[in-house]
Amino acid sequence: MEWTSEAEAKLKEIPFFVRPAARKKIEKFAQELGATQITPEIYDQAKQQFGS
């Protein structure tokens, strides 16, 4: 799954020890939406969905 640089920057705000799990959850969420790229908008939607 491709990430925009803006979305990658947002991911880096998450503590490093949970980042891999967060990345997987966000990518799965995006796939379910039919997205092919993680954008800041997708990232924010996923964050809202998971209540973080």
Side-chain angles (χ1 to χ4, degrees):
M1 180 74 63
E2 186 182 335
W3 286 63
T4 64
S5 55
E6 295 90 352
E8 282 280 0
K10 285 180 168 255
L11 185 67
K12 287 188 168 91
E13 295 171 5
I14 296 174
F16 74 92
F17 53 90
V18 293
R19 207 175 290 156
R23 177 184 286 269
K24 282 183 184 169
K25 277 183 99 169
I26 293 165
E27 288 179 351
K28 186 174 188 296
F29 175 79
Q31 280 181 325
E32 289 170 1
L33 291 179
T36 57
Q37 184 181 52
I38 307 296
T39 62
E41 294 77 23
I42 298 271
Y43 178 92
D44 290 339
Q45 286 177 23
K47 192 173 176 184
Q48 199 171 35
Q49 175 84 14
F50 301 126
S52 309

Coordinates of all heavy atoms in Angstrom, one line a residue:
M1 N 0.9 -1.2 0.0 CA 0.0 0.0 0.0 C 0.9 1.2 0.0 O 1.8 1.3 0.8 CB -0.9 0.0 1.2 CG -1.9 1.1 1.4 SD -3.3 1.2 0.3 CE -4.2 -0.2 0.8
E2 N 0.6 2.1 -0.9 CA 1.4 3.4 -1.0 C 0.9 4.4 0.0 O -0.3 4.6 0.2 CB 1.3 3.9 -2.4 CG 2.2 5.1 -2.7 CD 2.0 5.6 -4.1 OE1 1.6 4.8 -5.0 OE2 2.3 6.8 -4.4
W3 N 1.8 5.2 0.6 CA 1.4 6.3 1.5 C 2.0 7.6 0.9 O 3.1 7.6 0.4 CB 2.1 6.0 2.8 CG 1.5 4.9 3.7 CD1 1.4 3.6 3.4 CD2 0.9 5.1 5.0 NE1 0.8 2.9 4.4 CE2 0.5 3.8 5.4 CE3 0.6 6.2 5.8 CZ2 -0.2 3.6 6.6 CZ3 0.0 6.0 7.0 CH2 -0.4 4.7 7.4
T4 N 1.2 8.6 1.0 CA 1.7 9.9 0.6 C 2.6 10.4 1.7 O 2.6 9.9 2.9 CB 0.5 11.0 0.5 OG1 -0.1 11.2 1.8 CG2 -0.5 10.6 -0.5
S5 N 3.5 11.4 1.4 CA 4.4 11.8 2.4 C 3.7 12.5 3.5 O 4.2 12.4 4.7 CB 5.5 12.8 1.7 OG 4.8 13.8 1.1
E6 N 2.6 13.2 3.3 CA 1.8 13.8 4.3 C 1.3 12.8 5.3 O 1.3 13.0 6.5 CB 0.7 14.7 3.7 CG 1.1 15.8 2.9 CD 1.3 15.5 1.4 OE1 1.2 14.3 1.1 OE2 1.5 16.4 0.6
A7 N 0.7 11.7 4.8 CA 0.2 10.6 5.6 C 1.3 10.0 6.4 O 1.1 9.6 7.6 CB -0.6 9.6 4.8
E8 N 2.5 9.8 5.8 CA 3.6 9.2 6.5 C 4.0 10.1 7.7 O 4.3 9.6 8.8 CB 4.8 9.0 5.6 CG 4.8 7.9 4.7 CD 5.2 6.5 5.3 OE1 5.5 6.5 6.5 OE2 5.1 5.5 4.6
A9 N 4.0 11.4 7.5 CA 4.3 12.3 8.5 C 3.4 12.2 9.7 O 3.8 12.3 10.9 CB 4.4 13.8 8.0
K10 N 2.1 12.1 9.4 CA 1.1 11.9 10.4 C 1.3 10.6 11.2 O 1.2 10.5 12.4 CB -0.3 11.9 9.9 CG -0.8 13.3 9.5 CD -2.2 13.2 8.9 CE -2.8 14.5 8.8 NZ -3.8 14.8 9.8
L11 N 1.7 9.5 10.5 CA 2.0 8.2 11.1 C 3.1 8.4 12.1 O 3.1 7.7 13.2 CB 2.3 7.2 10.0 CG 2.5 5.8 10.6 CD1 1.2 5.2 11.1 CD2 3.0 4.9 9.5
K12 N 4.1 9.2 11.8 CA 5.3 9.4 12.7 C 4.9 10.0 14.0 O 5.7 10.0 14.9 CB 6.4 10.1 11.9 CG 7.0 9.3 10.9 CD 8.3 10.0 10.3 CE 9.1 9.0 9.4 NZ 8.7 8.9 8.1
E13 N 3.7 10.6 14.1 CA 3.3 11.2 15.3 C 2.8 10.1 16.3 O 2.7 10.4 17.5 CB 2.1 12.2 15.1 CG 2.4 13.3 14.2 CD 1.2 14.2 13.8 OE1 0.1 13.8 14.2 OE2 1.4 15.1 13.0
I14 N 2.6 8.9 15.8 CA 2.2 7.8 16.7 C 3.5 7.2 17.3 O 4.5 7.1 16.7 CB 1.5 6.7 15.9 CG1 0.2 7.3 15.3 CG2 1.2 5.5 16.7 CD1 -0.5 6.3 14.3
P15 N 3.4 6.9 18.6 CA 4.6 6.3 19.3 C 5.2 5.1 18.5 O 4.4 4.3 18.0 CB 4.1 5.9 20.6 CG 2.9 6.7 20.9 CD 2.3 7.0 19.5
F16 N 6.5 5.1 18.4 CA 7.2 4.1 17.5 C 6.8 2.6 17.8 O 6.7 1.8 16.9 CB 8.7 4.2 17.6 CG 9.3 3.7 18.8 CD1 9.8 2.4 19.0 CD2 9.4 4.6 19.9 CE1 10.3 2.0 20.1 CE2 10.0 4.1 21.1 CZ 10.4 2.8 21.2
F17 N 6.5 2.3 19.1 CA 6.2 0.9 19.5 C 4.8 0.4 19.0 O 4.6 -0.8 19.0 CB 6.4 0.7 21.0 CG 5.7 1.7 21.8 CD1 4.4 1.4 22.3 CD2 6.3 2.9 22.2 CE1 3.7 2.3 23.1 CE2 5.6 3.8 23.1 CZ 4.3 3.5 23.5
V18 N 3.9 1.3 18.7 CA 2.6 0.9 18.2 C 2.4 1.2 16.7 O 1.4 0.9 16.1 CB 1.4 1.5 19.0 CG1 1.4 1.0 20.4 CG2 1.5 3.0 19.0
R19 N 3.4 1.9 16.1 CA 3.3 2.3 14.7 C 3.1 1.2 13.8 O 2.2 1.3 12.9 CB 4.6 3.1 14.4 CG 4.4 4.1 13.3 CD 5.6 4.9 13.0 NE 5.8 5.8 14.2 CZ 7.0 6.3 14.5 NH1 8.1 6.0 13.8 NH2 7.2 7.1 15.5
P20 N 3.8 0.0 13.9 CA 3.6 -1.1 12.9 C 2.1 -1.6 13.0 O 1.5 -1.8 11.9 CB 4.5 -2.2 13.3 CG 5.6 -1.4 14.1 CD 4.9 -0.3 14.8
A21 N 1.5 -1.7 14.2 CA 0.2 -2.2 14.3 C -0.8 -1.1 13.7 O -1.8 -1.5 13.0 CB -0.2 -2.5 15.7
A22 N -0.5 0.1 14.0 CA -1.4 1.2 13.5 C -1.3 1.3 12.0 O -2.4 1.4 11.3 CB -0.9 2.6 14.1
R23 N -0.1 1.1 11.4 CA 0.0 1.1 9.9 C -0.8 0.0 9.3 O -1.6 0.2 8.4 CB 1.5 0.9 9.5 CG 1.7 0.8 8.0 CD 3.1 0.5 7.7 NE 4.0 1.6 7.9 CZ 4.3 2.5 6.9 NH1 3.7 2.4 5.8 NH2 5.1 3.6 7.2
K24 N -0.8 -1.2 9.9 CA -1.6 -2.4 9.4 C -3.1 -2.1 9.5 O -3.8 -2.4 8.5 CB -1.3 -3.6 10.2 CG 0.0 -4.3 9.8 CD 0.3 -5.6 10.5 CE 1.6 -6.1 10.1 NZ 2.0 -7.2 11.0
K25 N -3.5 -1.5 10.6 CA -5.0 -1.2 10.8 C -5.4 -0.2 9.8 O -6.5 -0.3 9.2 CB -5.2 -0.7 12.2 CG -5.4 -1.8 13.2 CD -5.7 -1.2 14.6 CE -7.2 -1.3 14.8 NZ -7.6 -1.0 16.2
I26 N -4.6 0.9 9.6 CA -4.9 1.9 8.6 C -5.0 1.4 7.2 O -5.9 1.7 6.4 CB -4.0 3.1 8.7 CG1 -4.2 3.8 10.1 CG2 -4.2 4.1 7.6 CD1 -3.0 4.7 10.5
E27 N -4.0 0.5 6.8 CA -4.0 -0.1 5.5 C -5.2 -1.0 5.3 O -5.8 -1.0 4.2 CB -2.7 -0.8 5.3 CG -1.5 0.2 5.1 CD -0.2 -0.5 4.9 OE1 -0.1 -1.8 5.0 OE2 0.8 0.2 4.6
K28 N -5.6 -1.7 6.3 CA -6.7 -2.6 6.2 C -8.0 -1.8 6.0 O -8.8 -2.1 5.1 CB -6.8 -3.5 7.4 CG -7.9 -4.6 7.3 CD -7.9 -5.5 8.5 CE -8.8 -6.7 8.4 NZ -10.2 -6.3 8.4
F29 N -8.1 -0.7 6.8 CA -9.2 0.2 6.7 C -9.3 0.8 5.2 O -10.4 0.8 4.6 CB -9.1 1.3 7.7 CG -10.1 2.4 7.6 CD1 -11.4 2.2 8.1 CD2 -9.8 3.6 7.0 CE1 -12.4 3.2 8.1 CE2 -10.8 4.6 7.0 CZ -12.1 4.4 7.5
A30 N -8.2 1.2 4.7 CA -8.2 1.8 3.4 C -8.6 0.8 2.3 O -9.3 1.1 1.4 CB -6.8 2.4 3.1
Q31 N -8.1 -0.4 2.5 CA -8.4 -1.5 1.5 C -9.9 -1.7 1.5 O -10.5 -1.9 0.5 CB -7.7 -2.8 1.8 CG -6.3 -2.8 1.4 CD -5.6 -4.2 1.7 OE1 -5.9 -4.8 2.7 NE2 -4.7 -4.6 0.8
E32 N -10.5 -1.7 2.7 CA -12.0 -1.9 2.8 C -12.7 -0.8 2.1 O -13.8 -1.0 1.6 CB -12.4 -2.1 4.2 CG -11.9 -3.4 4.9 CD -12.1 -3.5 6.4 OE1 -12.6 -2.5 7.0 OE2 -11.7 -4.5 6.9
L33 N -12.2 0.4 2.0 CA -12.8 1.5 1.4 C -12.5 1.5 -0.2 O -13.1 2.2 -0.9 CB -12.2 2.9 1.9 CG -12.6 3.3 3.3 CD1 -11.9 4.6 3.6 CD2 -14.1 3.4 3.5
G34 N -11.6 0.6 -0.6 CA -11.3 0.5 -2.0 C -10.2 1.5 -2.4 O -10.0 1.7 -3.6
A35 N -9.5 2.0 -1.4 CA -8.4 3.0 -1.7 C -7.2 2.3 -2.1 O -6.9 1.1 -1.6 CB -8.2 3.9 -0.5
T36 N -6.4 2.9 -2.9 CA -5.1 2.3 -3.3 C -3.9 3.1 -2.7 O -2.8 2.7 -2.8 CB -4.9 2.3 -4.8 OG1 -5.1 3.7 -5.3 CG2 -6.0 1.4 -5.5
Q37 N -4.2 4.2 -2.1 CA -3.2 5.0 -1.5 C -3.7 5.6 -0.1 O -4.8 5.9 0.0 CB -2.8 6.2 -2.4 CG -1.7 7.1 -2.0 CD -1.5 8.2 -3.0 OE1 -2.4 8.9 -3.4 NE2 -0.2 8.3 -3.5
I38 N -2.7 5.7 0.8 CA -3.1 6.3 2.1 C -2.8 7.7 2.0 O -1.6 8.2 1.8 CB -2.2 5.7 3.3 CG1 -2.3 4.1 3.3 CG2 -2.7 6.3 4.6 CD1 -3.7 3.6 3.6
T39 N -3.8 8.5 2.1 CA -3.7 10.0 2.1 C -4.0 10.5 3.5 O -4.5 9.8 4.4 CB -4.8 10.6 1.1 OG1 -6.1 10.3 1.6 CG2 -4.6 10.1 -0.3
P40 N -3.7 11.8 3.8 CA -4.1 12.3 5.1 C -5.5 12.2 5.4 O -5.9 11.9 6.6 CB -3.7 13.8 5.0 CG -2.6 13.8 4.0 CD -3.0 12.8 3.0
E41 N -6.4 12.3 4.4 CA -7.8 12.1 4.6 C -8.2 10.7 5.1 O -9.0 10.5 6.0 CB -8.6 12.5 3.3 CG -8.5 14.0 2.9 CD -7.2 14.4 2.3 OE1 -6.5 13.5 1.7 OE2 -6.8 15.5 2.3
I42 N -7.6 9.7 4.4 CA -7.9 8.3 4.8 C -7.3 8.1 6.2 O -8.0 7.5 7.0 CB -7.2 7.4 3.8 CG1 -7.7 7.5 2.4 CG2 -7.2 5.9 4.3 CD1 -8.9 6.7 2.1
Y43 N -6.1 8.6 6.4 CA -5.5 8.5 7.8 C -6.5 9.0 8.8 O -6.7 8.4 9.9 CB -4.2 9.2 7.8 CG -3.5 9.2 9.1 CD1 -2.6 8.2 9.4 CD2 -3.8 10.1 10.1 CE1 -2.0 8.1 10.7 CE2 -3.2 10.1 11.3 CZ -2.3 9.1 11.6 OH -1.7 9.0 12.9
D44 N -7.0 10.2 8.6 CA -7.9 10.9 9.6 C -9.2 10.1 9.8 O -9.7 9.9 10.9 CB -8.2 12.3 9.2 CG -7.0 13.2 9.3 OD1 -6.0 12.9 10.1 OD2 -6.9 14.3 8.7
Q45 N -9.7 9.5 8.7 CA -10.9 8.7 8.8 C -10.6 7.5 9.6 O -11.5 7.1 10.4 CB -11.4 8.3 7.4 CG -12.0 9.4 6.6 CD -12.4 8.9 5.2 OE1 -12.6 7.7 4.9 NE2 -12.5 9.8 4.2
A46 N -9.5 6.8 9.4 CA -9.1 5.6 10.1 C -9.0 6.0 11.6 O -9.5 5.3 12.5 CB -7.9 5.0 9.6
K47 N -8.3 7.1 11.9 CA -8.1 7.5 13.2 C -9.4 7.7 13.9 O -9.6 7.3 15.1 CB -7.2 8.8 13.2 CG -6.7 9.1 14.6 CD -5.7 10.3 14.5 CE -5.2 10.7 15.8 NZ -4.4 11.9 15.8
Q48 N -10.3 8.4 13.3 CA -11.6 8.6 13.8 C -12.4 7.3 14.1 O -13.0 7.1 15.1 CB -12.4 9.5 12.8 CG -13.6 10.2 13.4 CD -14.2 11.2 12.5 OE1 -14.2 11.0 11.3 NE2 -14.7 12.3 13.0
Q49 N -12.3 6.4 13.1 CA -12.9 5.1 13.2 C -12.5 4.3 14.4 O -13.2 3.6 15.1 CB -12.6 4.3 11.9 CG -13.1 2.9 11.9 CD -14.6 2.8 11.5 OE1 -15.1 3.7 10.9 NE2 -15.2 1.6 11.7
F50 N -11.1 4.4 14.7 CA -10.6 3.6 15.8 C -10.6 4.3 17.1 O -10.1 3.8 18.1 CB -9.2 3.1 15.4 CG -9.2 2.2 14.1 CD1 -8.3 2.5 13.1 CD2 -10.0 1.2 14.0 CE1 -8.4 1.8 11.9 CE2 -10.1 0.4 12.8 CZ -9.2 0.7 11.8
G51 N -11.0 5.6 17.1 CA -11.2 6.3 18.3 C -9.9 6.7 18.9 O -9.8 6.8 20.1
S52 N -8.9 7.0 18.1 CA -7.5 7.4 18.6 C -7.3 8.9 18.4 O -7.6 9.4 17.4 CB -6.4 6.6 18.0 OG -6.7 5.3 18.0

